[in-house]
Amino acid sequence: MCDEKEIQAAFDVAVELVKKCNEIVSEGFRTASKRVEVKGKHWDLVTEYDQRVEDVLIAGLRQHFPHHKFCAEEASFASGAALTLGPEPTWIIDPIDGTVNFVRGVPFTCISVALAVNGEIQLAIIANPTANELYTAIRGQGSFLNGSRITTRGTEVLKEALVGHEFSIGSYKPIRAALFERGQRFITECVGLRAFGSAALTLAYIASGQIDVYSIQFLKPWDIAAGALLIQEAGGTVINITGGKYDIMKPDIIAASSEPLAQRVLQIIREVEEDLRQAKPT
């Protein structure tokens, strides 16, 4: 088990390790000749920098907290093991979220680190070294950007909202029709749509008030774990994309700057799902 003292110590160690890894990401970002591999689908890329960052984080954390477990993107992919989350302190790590951006030199990429205890996220760190941004949160203590307190905009109506909507997820055929139809309905009502190519950063942008709402499916726990806590600690809300409490290990979510905004997006998602169901030939 983790008490408050250990959680604070874990946070302090993790922040220093992330800062160290920022140098690795920055080095790779500036390097044109990255070694890039495809993990599965053609859009799912990995570089040597992903592995270097993950290795530094896991080794450093394990040195200080040998009893902690790890759920990390590259290690999980390599082992093929089923993803589980028990009561033990477990680090959930995405060494480079937004790898396609990283490879192409697009400055929307980040390191994402979270610690779960008893299945609940207790601390979160998201760092984008290309923009000198360090987002942090400890449960019950608020969210911060580079040491300054941040809050969501508190937007409650969709017509005043800037919406994160990742059309590229439509590469996955089962979600394509619903994703595109949701986008059409959002844009008729909202201020605008934005796609950043990094789920973790998009969630951080909700926490800091840069955008207002984001719905996403078919990701992994490390894509959303840290960002979800940032939003909650910044006064926002995170729910399952079908309504109700979200599950870290099944990260299909609506994240919003307020509960009313999340419910409006949920209503649209349900309407689209019903319309597509009725449109199917019988």
Side-chain angles (χ1 to χ4, degrees), residues 214-235:
Y214 182 52
S215 56
I216 193 72
Q217 292 171 270
F218 300 107
L219 296 183
K220 298 294 184 180
W222 45 76
D223 294 311
I224 62 97
L229 181 63
L230 283 170
I231 290 170
Q232 292 170 331
E233 288 296 311

Side-chain angles (χ1 to χ4, degrees), residues 9-268:
F11 174 81
D12 293 339
V13 170
V15 166
E16 291 308 308
L17 287 169
V18 168
K19 289 179 178 178
K20 181 178 179 180
C21 289
N22 277 350
E23 299 175 8
I24 300 173
V25 174
S26 296
E27 173 196 328
F29 190 77
R30 295 189 301 265
T31 301
S33 57
K34 303 176 186 70
R35 188 177 74 249
V36 182
E37 299 176 5
V38 178
K39 291 192 290 186
K41 301 295 185 180
H42 66 275
W43 64 82
D44 195 4
L45 306 181
V46 63
T47 73
E48 71 267 34
Y49 294 96
D50 296 73
Q51 192 62 63
R52 284 174 60 188
V53 169
E54 187 169 299
D55 288 348
V56 169
L57 289 171
I58 291 177
L61 292 167
R62 184 168 280 150
Q63 180 181 357
H64 288 86
F65 310 103
H67 61 294
H68 288 191
K69 294 190 172 183
F70 294 87
C71 175
E73 181 172 12
E74 307 314 328
S76 296
F77 176 80
S79 69
L83 299 177
T84 59
L85 188 64
E88 308 90 345
T90 303
W91 292 94
I92 304 174
I93 298 170
D94 193 342
I96 299 180
D97 187 51
T99 302
V100 173
N101 288 345
F102 176 74
V103 169
R104 295 298 186 97
V106 179
F108 296 108
T109 187
C110 67
I111 302 166
S112 179
V113 177
L115 177 64
V117 181
N118 288 322
E120 186 175 59
I121 302 299
Q122 297 297 325
L123 68 82
I125 304 164
I126 292 178
N128 178 3
T130 69
N132 191 32
E133 294 173 340
L134 180 66
Y135 297 87
T136 59
I138 298 176
R139 181 169 293 280
Q141 298 183 28
S143 291
F144 298 82
L145 170 57
N146 295 339
S148 297
R149 188 73 176 261
I150 55 175
T151 60
T152 71
R153 291 179 66 87
T155 304
E156 295 190 347
V157 293
L158 191 55
K159 69 178 182 180
E160 296 175 0
L162 188 59
V163 176
H165 194 65
E166 204 66 58
F167 282 105
S168 62
I169 298 296
S171 298
Y172 186 55
K173 190 175 180 180
I175 191 60
R176 190 174 301 158
L179 183 76
F180 288 4
E181 181 59 30
R182 290 173 195 168
Q184 290 190 73
R185 299 194 190 191
F186 291 155
I187 199 60
T188 62
E189 191 173 337
C190 71
V191 171
L193 300 179
R194 296 292 183 271
F196 298 104
S198 166
L201 266 185
T202 302
L203 297 174
Y205 292 160
I206 294 174
S208 58
Q210 293 162 277
I211 65 170
D212 299 291
V213 64
Y214 182 52
S215 56
I216 193 72
Q217 292 171 270
F218 300 107
L219 296 183
K220 298 294 184 180
W222 45 76
D223 294 311
I224 62 97
L229 181 63
L230 283 170
I231 290 170
Q232 292 170 331
E233 288 296 311
T237 187
V238 182
I239 62 173
N240 187 276
I241 204 162
T242 60
K245 186 177 181 179
Y246 90 100
D247 184 341
I248 301 167
M249 303 309 287
K250 298 177 182 177
D252 298 344
I253 62 168
I254 299 169
S257 61
S258 71
E259 181 67 25
L261 183 57
Q263 292 300 319
R264 175 59 185 139
V265 169
L266 174 61
Q267 181 184 12
I268 291 173

